[in-house]
Amino acid sequence: MELDQTKTAAAFIALIVLGTGALLAMQVMPTDTTLMMVTPSMLVFGLICLGIGVAHGEYRATH
């Protein structure tokens, strides 16, 4: 499967939405806490991991 920016962004957003939806459905914590603290931290952590993964992929492709 060829990944491009659109597919990567769609998969990234889908994972965040799925995780947030699951947390809201399970009622593990209050909704405002989930939406104001957990979801933004999932986005930031996901972007950091995505950046590291892309950099590692570029490294592997060139060496």
Side-chain angles (χ1 to χ4, degrees):
M1 179 171 137
E2 291 285 328
L3 292 177
D4 59 4
Q5 214 169 20
T6 305
K7 290 178 187 172
T8 302
F12 181 76
I13 297 299
L15 282 172
I16 300 300
V17 168
L18 183 66
T20 300
L23 284 172
L24 291 174
M26 290 188 298
Q27 297 179 348
V28 178
M29 60 190 76
T31 301
D32 60 337
T33 302
T34 302
L35 295 177
M36 290 178 14
M37 296 177 70
V38 177
T39 301
S41 66
M42 284 194 300
L43 285 168
V44 170
F45 181 73
L47 288 173
I48 291 169
C49 290
L50 182 63
I52 291 170
V54 167
H56 180 66
E58 289 174 352
Y59 171 78
R60 291 211 37 181
T62 59
H63 288 87

